[in-house]
Amino acid sequence: MESSLTPTPHSVKRWQLRGTDFDPQQVCSLRSQTFSSWTPLNHRSSNLQLFEERMTLVLHWFDLWTDGQRKRLLHALLARCTKSQLKCCRDLLNETVPVTQVDFTAVLPRFLSLYVMSFLSPRDLCTAAQVSWHWRVLAEQDCLWAGRCIRRGWFLPYTPGEREFGAWKNHYIACVSKLDWLTPREAAEQYGTLNQQSTGETEEEEERRKERRIRQMIRDKLKEEKSLSMRTRRPWGSYTKPEGARGGSTQTWRPSTGVTFSSRPSLSWPPRTVVSPSLSLSLERGEAMSASQSLQRVQASSSNRPALPSTVSPIRLPPPALLLLISNRIPAYELVLSGVKAGVIVVLYDHRGTLSALLTQVERAISGQSTQRLGLLAPGGTEEIHLLLNSTLSERTLLTPDHREFWEKLCGWVAPTEEGGGIDIFSPLGASAAGVALIHTLSTLTGLEVRAPMGFATGSFQNILSEWSDGSVCTGLSEQQPAAPPLQFVCESVLQGWCRQARWMEEALGELRGSLGPQLQRAGLLARSRALGHFLGEKICLEELCVSKDLNEALTEGLTALTRREESRPLEFLATFLTRWSEEEGGEEASKEEKWGNREADFSFAPHSSQKRSGRIPALPQTVLDWRGAVARELHHSECIYLRRLGAVLKVYQEPLTAALNSNRAILSCTDLHIVLSPVKHILELNRVFQVDLQARLQQWGAEQCVGDVFVKLCSKLRVYTNYLNNYTTALRTIDKCRETKPPFRAFLRRADRTLATHMLSLQELLLCPLWRIQEYVTLLQALSFHTRPDHPDHTHLCSALNTLLQFREFMQKLKRNSERDELLEETQQMIQGCPKLSEGNRQLMITQDAALLRSPDEQIPDSLRTFEYVSDVGLFLFNDALVLTQRNVHHTPFTLAHRSTHTFLASVALSCLAVREITHTRYVRHAFVLEGPRRSWVCATERGEEREYFLSVLRSAVKSALTGHQ
């Protein structure tokens, strides 16, 4: 008992107590005072005193320890600190040891230090090498000096050794020090001068003086004509001088000096023709010359020039360029234009024009040179191409005289097939029988190879990135899969980005064109969020990462093993455990594959173990003629994405709103909730059954496998989609109304919209998914039915389902047109002040046109001699039964270039009582026409002739239709 009560030293190691300051009695007293089992937590003063005494003892021990022991104590203390305590330590260290003037080469990685030094000049690098040995090693690296030497054509005469240092720097210094610098006089003596006297100097000087005299005469003549034209009245709206303004015979040919503006600029770059100065002067003077005279002038001017040296190589003609026709109706065509490759002639044409105008624009762009291939990027589907607004290219319209003449002339500028010529149409014509027939007919008509996408990729314009067909692939004559032709015209990165996000870019650019400035940030954010949601939802598959059973099992086992052991470094132990777990799993899978390899070889395909665990459809064998399998895989893949988006609607929106309604804290009422989200639930239930049936068929895929009956089963329940479409407009209006009137719902949408769970889409965008899916079903069914033999057991069901979906698509497009018509009428009603009600009967807006209202002082004078004066700007709104005239006022915003237009109602005339009369171009008026009503008439004029022709053609057609319906 006595030995147990004998005082022993504290837990401090004995060898530390052998110092000169060790006092056993003092330690015992301190131990009895501080290390008591009782701690006065409730008594503040005693607790503070006890803390001070213990801290004094620890500091006393800290003074007795070595440097290594002190560092171990600090490491243990910092490992136990929280984030706030570590921040406090950081602040104290910054105050004690401030970080200023740090050597960046000692802090940054080596490659970053070299990257910073790469911006220095050679002189600065030599200065930096004198800072320290470390800086000298960095400043003399070969990667900094090799590029400077190679750019100047200085190459090392030998190969540096492995341990040789600074070879390129020494070579640079040696080359710079040996440069030969000559004064201008020495250079002239050695190499000669460029301004030596030539034999024909006198003739050239005389020719220049003559040209100067002729130019001065032309300037004087133009000055006299300008002073004369200021005294006379110019015709209103004319931007070019009339033909007889300068005098002279009317039979003499004169080049037009005015600038002609088309409705839209043509992005084409025709080669320029070099004309001699004398020939250009004769053209400016307006002299009439024959072809032989002009040729003699060109030869004479060329003979006076000094001959070129014999060392100059002859000029080689460039290879035939590629011609790309782009319609301005495609979305985000600006992005496509930015990615066009070099050597491609681009013609951006207006879809409202005519075939002859397009042919003229192409002829002006190519300037007589032949093209290798012709590309056409215009809106279209699987059966036809919307080449122009009033001209659709299909199998039925191709053989009409207008289209036949257009394609024969256009393809006459394309190289023949033997030289690699052909036509590339960026529309999925290879997905349907009518499209393939159009390809064959066009190929027969033009004698060229015609290629088009197969249409296996779903989405807006994504079929361009799919397989391409030239007609022979569809008939089984070709054994090789054709490459993607669009990459010859447009860069791959730009084309992929545009194809995958064309619809979203169209919306973003539409808003940008409508209102610049504040809308730019919001539209860009929407486009980026949709692209991010597409990538996270379809590429990374966040749902599968969150619910992976293998990962959960491995983490559970690792944490269980970690709790059984006391590890000082738990993260390293867990990483080692997971590595061993993956190796064991890989060994088990390898043994299973070896064991069952012979058995799996008997099947047509063997799914990977990871695919079995994830439940994905295994990859089918890709053969040359297995197009049905490719379409089936794309159908199943897109169906899974479609179901995930519909499931996000129920999970993110319906479940929280229903839970809030059941807990008497309703965000939406039961009626509003039923209107908005109930139809989505019915569609999700229907398509889940469709996806399960489709997956079962793909698990047992073969040449005779059928999927048409699954589509027929889906088409028999399309009433669910019909109810959804009829309720779609009401659902959107309900969402807008509740968002404006109910702050809790507005806050809920702000939290739920554009999150990872909704694939970065809003509720309104998710409700558009069923409408997009119907169009995707039609495209995929067309491809599937086309590549199914007529005697195949699945052909009848596929044709039946395709016809049903085509009729349903027409119904959907009709609803869309009616909605757009009503919205356009509502916008027009709000735009025109004082306008009567426009939404009556079956009225729809056809076209709007800005014009100028003119007035004649004396209406008895003939039109050819009558003068007109400008009154005001007017707006012409043409409906299918009436014409509305408004007064247009333009208001400019101060300090900016922006402006806005307002319209005030003037008059309305029924088309059945309206007469139209054109006014011939005269000296006083251009692009004018007369609108005669029952009581009064209006004289209007447009800025360009193309606008007048287009408006009058639509107006006459509408008047004719109104008279026919009235009779």
Side-chain angles (χ1 to χ4, degrees):
M1 294 294 292
E2 293 179 359
S3 62
S4 62
L5 297 176
T6 302
T8 59
H10 193 252
S11 59
V12 182
K13 295 181 180 180
R14 296 180 182 274
W15 63 271
Q16 296 178 356
L17 303 180
R18 297 175 184 175
T20 56
D21 298 335
F22 176 69
D23 188 359
Q25 295 181 358
Q26 184 180 2
V27 172
C28 293
S29 62
L30 289 174
R31 180 172 178 269
S32 61
Q33 293 176 6
T34 59
F35 289 92
S36 173
S37 59
W38 174 79
T39 302
L41 299 176
N42 298 329
H43 197 273
R44 183 174 182 180
S45 59
S46 300
N47 192 0
L48 182 60
Q49 180 182 0
L50 185 61
F51 172 74
E52 295 292 341
E53 293 174 354
R54 291 179 177 178
M55 189 174 65
T56 303
L57 179 60
V58 172
L59 293 178
H60 177 73
W61 289 345
F62 189 82
D63 295 337
L64 299 178
W65 291 340
T66 62
D67 182 69
Q69 293 172 346
R70 292 178 181 181
K71 290 180 180 179
R72 289 180 58 186
L73 176 63
L74 292 176
H75 178 73
L77 291 177
L78 293 177
R80 293 174 177 270
C81 294
T82 61
K83 290 185 178 180
S84 60
Q85 297 166 358
L86 292 175
K87 291 180 181 178
C88 180
C89 295
R90 181 196 60 190
D91 298 337
L92 292 176
L93 290 175
N94 289 335
E95 294 178 0
T96 306
V97 187
V99 181
T100 56
Q101 299 180 356
V102 180
D103 185 4
F104 72 93
T105 60
V107 178
L108 296 178
R110 182 185 179 90
F111 74 95
L112 288 180
S113 302
L114 292 175
Y115 179 72
V116 173
M117 288 189 174
S118 65
F119 293 97
L120 299 179
S121 62
R123 186 183 297 274
D124 295 335
L125 283 175
C126 294
T127 305
Q130 301 175 6
V131 175
S132 62
W133 282 102
H134 182 59
W135 280 52
R136 179 182 177 182
V137 171
L138 293 177
E140 293 184 355
Q141 292 295 319
D142 291 342
C143 60
L144 299 178
W145 294 92
R148 290 175 168 84
C149 292
I150 294 174
R151 282 196 298 269
R152 292 167 175 81
W154 303 337
F155 298 91
L156 280 177
Y158 66 97
T159 302
E162 296 182 357
R163 297 185 179 182
E164 186 174 356
F165 179 73
W168 282 98
K169 177 183 178 181
N170 298 332
H171 184 62
Y172 183 89
I173 295 175
C175 293
V176 170
S177 60
K178 295 180 180 178
L179 282 178
D180 294 334
W181 183 81
L182 299 177
T183 62
R185 185 180 297 277
E186 295 174 349
E189 293 177 356
Q190 183 172 357
Y191 301 106
T193 180
L194 296 179
N195 53 1
Q196 295 178 351
Q197 296 293 332
S198 61
T199 57
E201 183 179 2
T202 306
E203 293 82 3
E204 290 184 0
E205 288 294 335
E206 184 179 359
E207 185 70 20
R208 293 193 188 98
R209 287 193 295 269
K210 182 177 180 181
E211 290 177 359
R212 285 196 293 268
R213 289 195 300 268
I214 295 175
R215 290 180 183 276
Q216 186 62 33
M217 293 174 56
I218 294 175
R219 294 192 191 99
D220 297 341
K221 185 66 176 178
L222 291 176
K223 190 174 182 180
E224 293 177 1
E225 292 182 356
K226 184 176 181 181
S227 61
L228 180 63
S229 61
M230 294 296 293
R231 302 171 188 173
T232 59
R233 180 184 178 88
R234 296 181 62 188
W236 185 91
S238 62
Y239 295 96
T240 59
K241 292 181 179 298
E243 297 178 357
R246 297 184 183 180
S249 176
T250 58
Q251 297 179 356
T252 303
W253 175 81
R254 292 179 180 270
S256 176
T257 58
V259 180
T260 305
F261 295 91
S262 58
S263 58
R264 286 187 180 270
S266 173
L267 298 180
S268 57
W269 301 271
R272 296 185 178 181
T273 304
V274 180
V275 184
S276 63
S278 58
L279 181 59
S280 61
L281 286 175
S282 62
L283 292 178
E284 291 179 0
R285 295 173 56 189
E287 298 177 356
M289 295 189 303
S290 62
S292 60
Q293 293 175 350
S294 61
L295 181 60
Q296 293 175 1
R297 292 292 299 272
V298 172
Q299 293 177 352
S301 60
S302 61
S303 62
N304 293 332
R305 297 180 182 178
L308 295 175
S310 59
T311 57
V312 179
S313 59
I315 300 176
R316 297 180 179 179
L317 296 177
L322 301 176
L323 177 62
L324 179 60
L325 306 181
I326 300 180
S327 172
N328 64 350
R329 197 178 182 183
I330 66 170
Y333 61 84
E334 297 91 344
L335 182 61
V336 182
L337 293 175
S338 65
V340 174
K341 293 185 176 180
V344 178
I345 301 176
V346 184
V347 176
L348 177 64
Y349 67 93
D350 190 357
H351 75 284
R352 300 177 303 174
T354 59
L355 292 176
S356 59
L358 177 57
L359 201 63
T360 304
Q361 188 175 357
V362 173
E363 184 179 5
R364 184 171 60 250
I366 63 176
S367 300
Q369 61 177 329
S370 61
T371 59
Q372 184 70 23
R373 297 193 67 88
L374 170 65
L376 177 60
L377 180 54
T382 57
E383 301 176 359
E384 58 185 10
I385 305 171
H386 304 292
L387 187 61
L388 297 171
L389 181 63
N390 298 323
S391 179
T392 301
L393 178 62
S394 62
E395 183 187 7
R396 184 182 65 261
T397 62
L398 178 60
L399 298 180
T400 57
D402 295 339
H403 279 278
R404 188 184 185 94
E405 181 182 2
F406 170 79
W407 285 103
E408 287 178 353
K409 291 183 178 180
L410 182 62
C411 295
W413 299 318
V414 182
T417 307
E418 295 78 13
E419 301 178 5
I423 304 174
D424 299 324
I425 301 177
F426 294 66
S427 295
L429 298 178
S432 63
V436 174
L438 174 60
I439 292 176
H440 285 294
T441 307
L442 184 59
S443 178
T444 305
L445 177 64
T446 59
L448 299 175
E449 177 190 17
V450 182
R451 296 185 294 188
M454 302 294 292
F456 289 163
T458 57
S460 179
F461 290 95
Q462 291 192 23
N463 48 69
I464 298 177
L465 302 176
S466 65
E467 294 83 2
W468 278 59
S469 167
D470 59 348
S472 60
V473 175
C474 300
T475 56
L477 299 177
S478 177
E479 296 296 330
Q480 296 181 355
Q481 187 175 355
L487 300 184
Q488 301 177 6
F489 299 87
V490 187
C491 297
E492 183 177 2
S493 58
V494 176
L495 185 63
Q496 288 183 355
W498 176 78
C499 290
R500 292 174 180 172
Q501 305 175 26
R503 183 187 297 113
W504 303 335
M505 289 181 180
E506 181 181 15
E507 299 173 2
L509 291 177
E511 294 182 5
L512 180 61
R513 297 189 189 100
S515 55
L516 296 176
Q519 302 293 336
L520 177 60
Q521 184 177 4
R522 185 175 67 87
L525 179 61
L526 296 182
R528 291 194 301 271
S529 63
R530 290 166 181 170
L532 179 60
H534 172 80
F535 177 75
L536 294 178
E538 298 187 13
K539 302 299 181 182
I540 298 183
C541 299
L542 292 177
E543 295 85 353
E544 298 182 3
L545 290 179
C546 297
V547 298
S548 177
K549 297 181 180 180
D550 296 338
L551 182 60
N552 292 335
E553 183 180 355
L555 289 176
T556 303
E557 294 291 338
L559 294 175
T560 304
L562 183 62
T563 54
R564 296 173 183 172
R565 304 177 58 179
E566 296 181 0
E567 292 290 338
S568 59
R569 297 181 178 180
L571 295 180
E572 295 182 2
F573 171 78
L574 189 58
T576 305
F577 180 84
L578 292 178
T579 304
R580 294 178 180 176
W581 177 276
S582 62
E583 293 177 355
E584 293 176 359
E585 287 292 324
E588 292 178 1
E589 292 177 2
S591 61
K592 289 181 180 179
E593 290 179 359
E594 293 177 359
K595 181 178 179 180
W596 298 98
N598 297 330
R599 182 174 298 181
E600 290 179 352
D602 298 335
F603 294 96
S604 59
F605 59 90
H608 195 268
S609 58
S610 60
Q611 293 173 348
K612 293 179 180 179
R613 290 193 298 266
S614 61
R616 293 184 180 180
I617 294 297
L620 301 179
Q622 179 67 30
T623 60
V624 176
L625 300 177
D626 190 18
W627 298 114
R628 298 186 73 250
V631 180
R633 290 196 304 274
E634 174 63 25
L635 176 62
H636 181 268
H637 173 68
S638 58
E639 186 70 21
C640 293
I641 297 174
Y642 175 56
L643 291 179
R644 284 202 298 266
R645 291 183 177 180
L646 292 183
V649 176
L650 301 183
K651 181 179 180 181
V652 179
Y653 297 98
Q654 187 179 29
E655 293 180 3
L657 293 176
T658 305
L661 182 63
N662 297 333
S663 61
N664 295 328
R665 296 181 180 179
I667 300 177
L668 279 184
S669 63
C670 182
T671 305
D672 295 337
L673 186 61
H674 179 77
I675 292 174
V676 175
L677 299 177
S678 180
V680 180
K681 182 179 180 181
H682 300 327
I683 291 180
L684 183 59
E685 294 175 355
L686 174 63
N687 281 82
R688 279 176 178 172
V689 177
F690 173 72
Q691 191 265 346
V692 171
D693 296 342
L694 185 62
Q695 182 177 359
R697 300 299 174 87
L698 289 178
Q699 291 288 356
Q700 302 176 357
W701 184 258
E704 300 299 325
Q705 184 62 269
C706 299
V707 293
D709 54 342
V710 180
F711 268 104
V712 171
K713 181 180 177 182
L714 176 67
C715 294
S716 63
K717 300 180 181 180
L718 281 181
R719 183 178 297 274
V720 177
Y721 278 87
T722 304
N723 297 334
Y724 180 84
L725 291 175
N726 293 330
N727 183 70
Y728 175 69
T729 306
T730 306
L732 291 183
R733 292 177 179 175
T734 304
I735 294 174
D736 296 338
K737 181 191 68 175
C738 295
R739 187 180 63 240
E740 295 175 0
T741 58
K742 298 180 179 180
F745 182 66
R746 184 165 57 248
F748 173 77
L749 290 181
R750 185 179 294 273
R751 293 192 307 268
D753 281 350
R754 307 196 184 283
T755 58
L756 293 180
T758 62
H759 303 276
M760 303 303 293
L761 300 176
S762 63
L763 177 58
Q764 292 86 344
E765 293 170 345
L766 288 173
L767 294 180
L768 271 174
C769 292
L771 283 71
W772 296 339
R773 190 57 181 166
I774 293 298
Q775 179 60 40
E776 293 174 357
Y777 281 151
V778 172
T779 303
L780 292 172
L781 265 181
Q782 285 177 338
L784 194 60
S785 61
F786 175 70
H787 293 288
T788 303
R789 303 187 312 272
D791 57 344
H792 196 278
D794 200 23
H795 188 269
T796 304
H797 289 148
L798 288 176
C799 294
S800 176
L802 179 60
N803 294 332
T804 304
L805 286 176
L806 286 174
Q807 295 177 2
F808 192 82
R809 186 182 65 175
E810 291 294 333
F811 168 70
M812 185 175 63
Q813 292 175 354
K814 180 180 179 181
L815 293 179
K816 181 180 179 181
R817 288 192 298 267
N818 294 337
S819 177
E820 291 176 351
R821 181 195 62 187
D822 298 340
E823 183 179 0
L824 188 58
L825 284 178
E826 184 177 356
E827 293 177 356
T828 307
Q829 183 76 49
Q830 297 176 359
M831 184 187 305
I832 304 176
Q833 301 178 4
C835 181
K837 186 177 180 181
L838 296 177
S839 57
E840 295 180 356
N842 196 23
R843 179 176 296 167
Q844 57 181 351
L845 181 63
M846 301 181 65
I847 188 177
T848 62
Q849 179 63 50
D850 295 336
L853 184 63
L854 307 180
R855 182 176 59 186
S856 176
D858 191 355
E859 298 182 357
Q860 302 298 329
I861 302 176
D863 292 343
S864 59
L865 301 177
R866 187 186 306 176
T867 60
F868 296 90
E869 61 179 354
Y870 167 71
V871 178
S872 63
D873 292 328
V874 294
L876 305 176
F877 295 83
L878 178 60
F879 299 89
N880 58 340
D881 58 346
L883 177 66
V884 176
L885 285 83
T886 63
Q887 182 178 357
R888 183 170 59 91
N889 298 321
V890 180
H891 305 277
H892 291 269
T893 305
F895 306 104
T896 62
L897 298 176
H899 65 276
R900 60 186 181 90
S901 300
T902 59
H903 295 266
T904 305
F905 178 77
L906 289 180
S908 62
V909 183
L911 294 184
S912 58
C913 304
L914 182 65
V916 184
R917 178 169 56 88
E918 296 185 22
I919 297 180
T920 308
H921 294 343
T922 63
R923 182 183 179 88
Y924 304 103
V925 67
R926 286 178 179 271
H927 316 316
F929 55 93
V930 181
L931 301 176
E932 297 180 351
R935 297 183 180 179
R936 58 171 301 183
S937 61
W938 299 270
V939 180
C940 302
T942 59
E943 290 188 3
R944 293 185 293 270
E946 296 85 353
E947 296 179 353
R948 186 190 73 163
E949 297 299 330
Y950 179 66
F951 176 75
L952 291 183
S953 62
V954 177
L955 178 59
R956 291 191 180 98
S957 177
V959 170
K960 183 177 180 181
S961 301
L963 292 175
T964 304
H966 184 72
Q967 292 177 356

